[in-house]
Amino acid sequence: MKNAIGMVGLGRMGANMARRLHQGGAQVVVYNRHVDKAEALARESGMAAAGTLEALVAALPSPRVLWLMLPAGDATQSHIDALLPLLSAGDVLVNGANAQHETSIAQAAHVEQAGVRYVDAGVSGGVWGLQEGYALMVGGSREAVAAVAPFLRILAPAPDQGWLHCGPVGSGHFVKMVHNGIEYGMMQALAEGFAILKGKEAFHLDLAQVAEMWRHGSVVRSWLLDLSADFLKKDQALDSIAPVVADSGEGLWTAQAALDLKIPAPVITLALQMRWASQGHADYTARMLAMMRNEFGGHAVQKEA
Ligand SMILES: O=C(CO)[C@H](O)[C@H](O)COP(=O)(O)O
């Protein structure tokens, strides 16, 4: 079996990456902890499914390439621990999670002790990646990345564009982390801009039309603006949307890296803190402020309903 790869983890990202690899001519064997997911994908696409990690490893030719597309942390670590005794020297494990680069460096050291090669891969593209291709930021030795390169060429938007061997192990996840930090800042700036436009009620601006117009030729045209234009066309009041924005760690790690490196990163850090504020973490601060301000008169406190 030429050009074979095992995909472990068939969530939103892993399943679509497996589909793109399969459509691009790779021989994909899929595995998921809940085997029905792997079987459903195999039925839909004609890929092979493995019911156990042992079966997955046995189905791949040496040197094997296994791509883990699992949540960072315990899920990834437990699969690496289970796979490692099944693998042989020269096999390659790719960790595609949004992981902290220090964790990846430690993981690589452990994996490489067994002669298994390790690549950390930051993957961007979300649900559009299947169709548009993914941006891939990879770290690892030249040999390990060379073994994965045929698959990177399929996953990327074009064979020689949209993927980069960034440097040694850890560098792929570090570059991806900073990418996501930038994502926080860009999203915050766009959201603030549209809020200001909406706030100028006297102009009755049609935000969908502004977004659509900016998509063509403007300095701020971007994929995030494309997505915004799309949902604003359907609803620009957003009255039914709770003003709460989740975060899953990469913004925090970027802000922490900036502090460690003494690099001022106010936009990324504030964008992260605005998400926390949206989650209610600034509520006590505001209550304190309201009480203090009330103490010296002029602005009465408002009581919660
Ligand atoms: O990796 C991504 C895109 O490149 C994801 O959007 C990532 O989840 C972003 O982080 P958060 O969940 O904190 O918004």
Side-chain angles (χ1 to χ4, degrees), residues 98 123-126 176 179-180 183-184 246-251 275:
N98 271 339
V123 186
S124 184
K176 178 67 191 335
H179 166 279
N180 282 6
E183 185 178 293
Y184 274 53
D247 72 293
S248 49
E250 296 238 306
R275 290 202 193 186

Side-chain angles (χ1 to χ4, degrees), residues 12-263:
R12 190 170 51 93
M13 292 292 283
N16 274 349
M17 288 167 69
R19 288 185 181 100
R20 187 168 172 93
L21 285 163
H22 175 73
Q23 289 164 12
Q27 308 290 319
V28 189
V29 186
V30 290
Y31 168 85
N32 196 74
R33 193 161 56 95
H34 300 293
V35 71
D36 45 325
K37 253 192 180 173
E39 284 168 354
L41 185 56
R43 270 196 305 279
E44 164 211 303
S45 61
M47 290 177 228
T52 61
L53 289 176
E54 287 78 3
L56 173 68
V57 170
L60 296 168
S62 292
R64 304 173 183 92
V65 176
L66 287 119
W67 193 302
L68 273 61
M69 210 58 209
L70 296 159
D74 289 348
T76 298
Q77 188 60 53
S78 63
H79 280 78
I80 292 178
D81 292 343
L83 276 166
L84 206 50
L86 308 173
L87 298 178
S88 311
D91 290 348
V92 185
L93 270 181
V94 183
N95 178 1
N98 271 339
Q100 258 177 313
H101 70 286
E102 291 97 342
T103 309
S104 313
I105 292 170
Q107 228 160 37
H110 177 63
V111 163
E112 284 166 2
Q113 269 174 7
V116 172
R117 295 175 289 180
Y118 181 100
V119 170
D120 53 295
V123 186
S124 184
V127 289
W128 291 82
L130 171 60
Q131 196 182 317
E132 311 264 330
Y134 300 87
L136 301 138
M137 297 141 251
V138 300
S141 69
R142 201 141 39 107
E143 298 71 31
V145 174
V148 181
F151 308 107
L152 299 173
R153 289 184 210 287
I154 299 173
L155 288 168
D160 292 316
Q161 276 176 0
W163 71 273
L164 180 70
H165 181 191
C166 301
V169 157
S171 62
H173 282 161
F174 187 79
V175 173
K176 178 67 191 335
M177 174 196 79
V178 175
H179 166 279
N180 282 6
I182 293 169
E183 185 178 293
Y184 274 53
M186 289 174 67
M187 289 171 68
Q188 180 70 28
L190 281 169
E192 286 176 15
F194 280 97
I196 296 165
L197 294 175
K198 185 170 188 299
K200 188 71 178 170
E201 286 170 8
F203 284 163
H204 301 289
L205 295 168
D206 184 322
L207 304 189
Q209 285 183 1
V210 174
E212 183 56 35
M213 174 269 295
W214 278 350
R215 289 182 62 215
H216 307 283
S218 92
V219 170
V220 299
R221 66 188 184 271
S222 60
W223 189 58
L224 290 169
L225 180 64
D226 295 346
L227 298 179
S228 305
D230 248 16
F231 68 72
L232 287 170
K233 262 176 224 157
K234 293 169 205 141
D235 170 22
Q236 54 182 273
L238 305 183
D239 287 335
S240 64
I241 307 301
V244 179
V245 194
D247 72 293
S248 49
E250 296 238 306
L252 171 62
W253 302 337
T254 313
Q256 284 169 335
L259 282 174
D260 289 345
L261 295 167
K262 297 192 177 166
I263 308 285

